[in-house]
Every structure is written in C-alpha cells, then in structure tokens.
Amino acid sequence: MDPKINEINGYLVSIFNDVLMIEERTLQSSQFKDVSIKEMHTIDAIGMYQEHTTSEVAKKLGITVGTLTVSVNNLVRKEYVIRVRSETDRRVVKLALTKNGRLLYRLHDKFHRDMVRETLQEMSEEEAEVLMKGLLNLHSFLERTKEQLPE
Amino acid sequence: MDPKINEINGYLVSIFNDVLMIEERTLQSSQFKDVSIKEMHTIDAIGMYQEHTTSEVAKKLGITVGTLTVSVNNLVRKEYVIRVRSETDRRVVKLALTKNGRLLYRLHDKFHRDMVRETLQEMSEEEAEVLMKGLLNLHSFLERTKEQLPE
DNA sequence: TCTTTTTTGTTTGATTATCAAACTATTTGA
DNA sequence: TCAAATAGTTTGATAATCAAACAAAAAAGA
C-alpha cells in the first residue's frame, strides 16, 4: 500500500506544479502578458455568465475582500474587469468581465478542457469512470477536512 | 464526452484550491504560525534526506535563485533551515533543515499521505491502479506540454 | 422617525513573493 | 596568470496577502 501512496502523492504534487507553471508561461507568451496567474484565477472566479459580488468572488477564491479589491483595481485599470454598483443595494459591487476579459476567460478554459481531454484520450469509458471516482473520493475527503478546520 | 470533461476539470480545480487552502489554514492553526504555504513548499523541496544546493532547490521550485535566497534568509532567521558552505567548492551553499524544520516536514508529509490514503480507502486494488494510470496520463500530457513551451 | 448595529466594500501599513539586473566570491580554462 | 564562467547575494520594483481602520448604505430597534 505504502509505495502506491507515495507514487500517487508524487503525481498529484507534480501535476499541481506543472499546471501552475504551464498556465503562467502560456500567459506570459500570449497577448495577455500583463496578467499574472493569480489575476487569471480571479478572472476565472468572476466568470462569464452571472454577475458576482465582491464578497462572493473573494469567498470563492479564499482571500479577503480587501485583497480582492486591490486586485480588481489592477484588473479594471488593465481593462479586463468592470465594477457595477447594484441598483437595489448601493453598498454592493457586482463584478463582470469586459470583452477582453471574456476572451481571456475562454482561452484559459480551453487550456483546462484540452488538458482533461488529452488525459481521457487513451482511456476507456470504464477507466474514465474510475478516474472520476478517485477524484470524487479525493474531493470529498478535502471537503470533509475543510469542515473540520478551525474556522 | 463533454460533460465528463467538465466534471473532471471541475474536480481538479477544486482539489487544487482545497489542498492549498487546507494546508495554509492547518499551518496557521498549528505551532508553525510563522510559516507561509510557500515557505512550507520550500522546506519540502529542501527535504529531509540529502543536502541540496541553492540552485537545485530553486530549479525544483521553479523560482529564481535570488527569490530563494530571500526566502531562505527568512527561514534561517526563523530557525527552520541552515546554510552550509561546501568544503570542496566554496561558492556552493548546501541547504538543510534544522530539527524544527524536520518536524514540520514530517507534519506536512503526513497530511499528504493521509489525503491519498483516505482517497484509496474505498477503492479496490484494480481501481487504484486505474486511478494511477489516469494521473500518469495527465502527468505525461503536462510534461509534453512543458517541453513544447516557448523557453 | 431617529439612532444604533450590521453589512459591504475600500484604504492603508506591514510582510512575503517574485523577477531582473548589478554585484561578490570562487573556480575553471586558456 | 588572467579572463570567463559559475554560485549565490543584494537591491529596486511590483504583486499578493492580511488585519485593522475606515466610509457608506441598509436593516433593526426604540
């Protein structure tokens, strides 16, 4: 059992690092050089389809609202994001992507989808199911762990 | 095919975020409050078992040597890491963990191993093999992508 | 209705993370 | 021996982060 644990753990760690590194490098060699990987994930969290408030996005990203405000300032300056004050509750700020922001969003999404598609390519239907089950197990372990976390 | 891609991609993204978040929180609520998650990964890269030079560790982490020097300054001040000048080549600095650094290393390692162990718990031997194969596929896709990367 | 409390977001000060470029010390090679 | 290469450090600039102080608006209480 033990050697398998080490092996799987090793793959996970190196997958994490690779994905981050590849995303970073891909951005830097694209037309979106002025966007960091953190900013990319902020853009991803803001999303294409619904409006999200500052609080919602900060929670999704696991950062404080203050941190997000600073980051959104930069993304607004670089014209990827716009702020829209809510009409019904004027304390609330809704975040949305500009045209350019949506373009970047799709590019990033495509990278992720290609990555998974390539992975599944050499696998049978049943194997893909098992991979999914493994990821589901891992995911629910982490969700349980999160709940037990001291605040 | 498409819905499966989205689902797997979703799990991966959320697994990434959860692991980072849980590691961060766990550190902050332990006796190692003065260590950030980045510093934790530096400690992990330095490792328990062999001596590694500054260049080697920087390469492993994918950061510049200058960045690592700064980080190691802090870790030395906080007494997790020591620098040892090589006897044979006095330009070279070997990095090693202090007693406290090794304690932290083991704690972090245990979290990772528990995570994987829990994941495998409900899976049969064969299913674990398939999971591993999926991760291997993903891993080799990423390695290939890395090679194609400009620079 | 007026006041207090709560909620939402912004600003600020401190620390860490990061790179590129200038720099120092040492080793290697011509 | 002296120039070039290598290993690491320092520095200046910028981004990422938090906690705490703050401002504006809404909700609750009286």
Side-chain angles (χ1 to χ4, degrees), chain A residues 55 65-66 69 83 91-93:
Chain A
S55 300
V65 181
T69 294
R83 284 189 168 99
R91 291 170 304 181
V92 170
V93 170

Coordinates of all heavy atoms in Angstrom, one line a residue, chain A residues 55 65-66 69 83 91-93, chain C residues 6-13:
Chain A
S55 N -17.8 40.1 -2.4 CA -17.8 39.1 -1.3 C -17.8 37.7 -1.9 O -17.1 36.8 -1.4 CB -19.0 39.3 -0.4 OG -18.9 40.6 0.2
V65 N -11.7 40.2 1.3 CA -12.3 41.2 0.4 C -11.4 42.3 0.1 O -11.3 42.8 -1.0 CB -13.6 41.7 1.0 CG1 -14.3 42.7 0.1 CG2 -14.6 40.6 1.3
G66 N -10.6 42.7 1.1 CA -9.6 43.7 0.9 C -8.6 43.4 -0.2 O -8.2 44.2 -1.1
T69 N -10.2 43.6 -3.6 CA -10.4 45.0 -4.0 C -9.1 45.5 -4.7 O -9.2 46.1 -5.8 CB -10.7 45.9 -2.8 OG1 -12.0 45.5 -2.3 CG2 -10.8 47.3 -3.2
R83 N -16.6 47.2 -12.7 CA -17.4 47.2 -11.5 C -18.7 47.8 -11.8 O -18.8 48.9 -12.5 CB -16.7 48.1 -10.4 CG -15.5 47.5 -9.7 CD -15.2 48.4 -8.5 NE -14.2 47.8 -7.7 CZ -12.9 48.0 -7.7 NH1 -12.4 48.8 -8.6 NH2 -12.1 47.4 -6.8
R91 N -24.6 49.4 -1.5 CA -23.3 49.0 -0.9 C -22.6 48.0 -1.8 O -21.4 47.9 -1.9 CB -23.5 48.3 0.4 CG -24.0 49.3 1.5 CD -24.4 48.5 2.7 NE -25.4 47.4 2.4 CZ -26.0 46.6 3.2 NH1 -25.6 46.6 4.5 NH2 -26.9 45.8 2.9
V92 N -23.4 47.2 -2.6 CA -22.9 46.0 -3.3 C -22.3 46.4 -4.6 O -22.8 47.2 -5.4 CB -24.1 45.1 -3.5 CG1 -23.7 44.0 -4.5 CG2 -24.6 44.5 -2.2
V93 N -21.1 45.8 -4.9 CA -20.4 45.9 -6.2 C -20.5 44.6 -6.9 O -20.1 43.6 -6.4 CB -19.0 46.3 -5.9 CG1 -18.2 46.2 -7.3 CG2 -18.9 47.7 -5.3
Chain C
dT6 P -24.5 44.3 15.9 OP1 -25.0 43.0 16.4 OP2 -23.2 44.8 16.2 O5' -24.7 44.2 14.3 C5' -26.0 44.0 13.7 C4' -25.9 43.9 12.2 O4' -25.7 45.3 11.7 C3' -24.7 43.1 11.7 O3' -25.3 42.2 10.7 C2' -23.8 44.2 11.1 C1' -24.7 45.3 10.7 N1 -24.2 46.7 10.7 C2 -24.5 47.5 9.6 O2 -25.2 47.1 8.7 N3 -24.0 48.8 9.7 C4 -23.3 49.3 10.7 O4 -22.9 50.5 10.7 C5 -23.0 48.4 11.8 C7 -22.1 48.9 13.0 C6 -23.5 47.2 11.8
dT7 P -24.4 41.2 9.9 OP1 -25.2 40.0 9.6 OP2 -23.0 41.1 10.6 O5' -24.2 42.0 8.5 C5' -25.3 42.4 7.8 C4' -24.8 43.2 6.6 O4' -24.3 44.5 6.9 C3' -23.7 42.4 5.8 O3' -24.2 42.4 4.5 C2' -22.5 43.3 6.0 C1' -23.2 44.7 6.2 N1 -22.4 45.7 7.0 C2 -22.4 47.0 6.4 O2 -22.9 47.3 5.4 N3 -21.7 47.9 7.2 C4 -21.1 47.7 8.4 O4 -20.5 48.6 9.0 C5 -21.2 46.3 8.9 C7 -20.5 45.9 10.2 C6 -21.8 45.4 8.2
dT8 P -23.3 41.6 3.4 OP1 -24.3 41.0 2.4 OP2 -22.3 40.7 4.0 O5' -22.5 42.8 2.6 C5' -23.2 43.7 1.8 C4' -22.2 44.6 1.2 O4' -21.7 45.5 2.3 C3' -21.0 44.0 0.6 O3' -21.0 44.3 -0.8 C2' -19.8 44.5 1.4 C1' -20.4 45.8 2.0 N1 -19.8 46.2 3.3 C2 -19.5 47.5 3.6 O2 -19.6 48.3 2.7 N3 -19.0 47.7 4.8 C4 -18.7 46.8 5.8 O4 -18.3 47.2 6.9 C5 -19.1 45.5 5.5 C7 -18.9 44.4 6.6 C6 -19.6 45.2 4.3
dG9 P -19.8 43.6 -1.7 OP1 -20.4 43.6 -3.1 OP2 -19.4 42.3 -1.1 O5' -18.7 44.7 -1.6 C5' -19.0 46.0 -2.1 C4' -17.9 47.0 -1.6 O4' -17.9 46.9 -0.2 C3' -16.5 46.7 -2.1 O3' -16.2 47.8 -3.0 C2' -15.7 46.7 -0.8 C1' -16.6 47.4 0.2 N9 -16.3 46.9 1.6 C8 -16.5 45.7 2.1 N7 -16.2 45.6 3.4 C5 -15.8 46.9 3.7 C6 -15.3 47.5 4.9 O6 -15.2 46.9 6.0 N1 -15.0 48.8 4.8 C2 -15.1 49.5 3.6 N2 -14.7 50.8 3.7 N3 -15.5 49.0 2.5 C4 -15.9 47.7 2.6
dT10 P -14.7 48.0 -3.6 OP1 -14.9 48.8 -4.8 OP2 -14.0 46.7 -3.6 O5' -14.0 48.9 -2.5 C5' -14.5 50.3 -2.3 C4' -13.6 51.1 -1.5 O4' -13.5 50.5 -0.2 C3' -12.1 51.1 -2.0 O3' -11.7 52.5 -2.0 C2' -11.4 50.3 -1.0 C1' -12.2 50.5 0.3 N1 -12.1 49.4 1.3 C2 -11.7 49.7 2.6 O2 -11.4 50.8 2.9 N3 -11.8 48.6 3.4 C4 -12.1 47.3 3.1 O4 -12.1 46.4 4.0 C5 -12.5 47.1 1.8 C7 -12.9 45.7 1.3 C6 -12.5 48.1 0.9
dT11 P -10.3 52.9 -2.6 OP1 -10.5 54.2 -3.2 OP2 -9.7 51.8 -3.3 O5' -9.4 53.1 -1.3 C5' -9.9 53.9 -0.2 C4' -8.9 53.8 1.0 O4' -9.1 52.6 1.7 C3' -7.5 53.9 0.6 O3' -6.9 54.9 1.4 C2' -6.9 52.5 0.9 C1' -7.8 52.1 2.1 N1 -8.1 50.6 2.2 C2 -8.0 50.0 3.5 O2 -7.6 50.7 4.5 N3 -8.2 48.7 3.5 C4 -8.6 47.9 2.5 O4 -8.8 46.7 2.7 C5 -8.7 48.5 1.2 C7 -9.1 47.7 0.0 C6 -8.4 49.8 1.1
dT12 P -5.4 55.3 1.2 OP1 -5.3 56.8 1.5 OP2 -4.9 54.8 -0.1 O5' -4.6 54.5 2.4 C5' -5.2 54.6 3.7 C4' -4.3 53.8 4.6 O4' -4.7 52.4 4.6 C3' -2.8 53.8 4.3 O3' -2.1 53.9 5.5 C2' -2.6 52.4 3.7 C1' -3.6 51.6 4.5 N1 -4.1 50.3 3.9 C2 -4.4 49.2 4.7 O2 -4.2 49.3 5.9 N3 -4.8 48.1 4.1 C4 -5.1 48.0 2.7 O4 -5.5 46.9 2.3 C5 -4.8 49.1 1.9 C7 -5.0 49.1 0.4 C6 -4.3 50.2 2.5
dG13 P -0.6 54.3 5.6 OP1 -0.5 55.5 6.4 OP2 0.0 54.3 4.2 O5' 0.1 53.1 6.4 C5' -0.5 52.7 7.6 C4' 0.2 51.4 8.1 O4' -0.4 50.3 7.4 C3' 1.7 51.4 7.7 O3' 2.4 50.7 8.8 C2' 1.8 50.6 6.4 C1' 0.6 49.6 6.6 N9 0.0 49.1 5.4 C8 -0.2 49.7 4.2 N7 -0.8 49.0 3.3 C5 -1.1 47.8 4.0 C6 -1.8 46.7 3.6 O6 -2.3 46.4 2.5 N1 -1.9 45.7 4.6 C2 -1.4 45.8 5.9 N2 -1.5 44.8 6.7 N3 -0.7 46.9 6.3 C4 -0.6 47.9 5.3

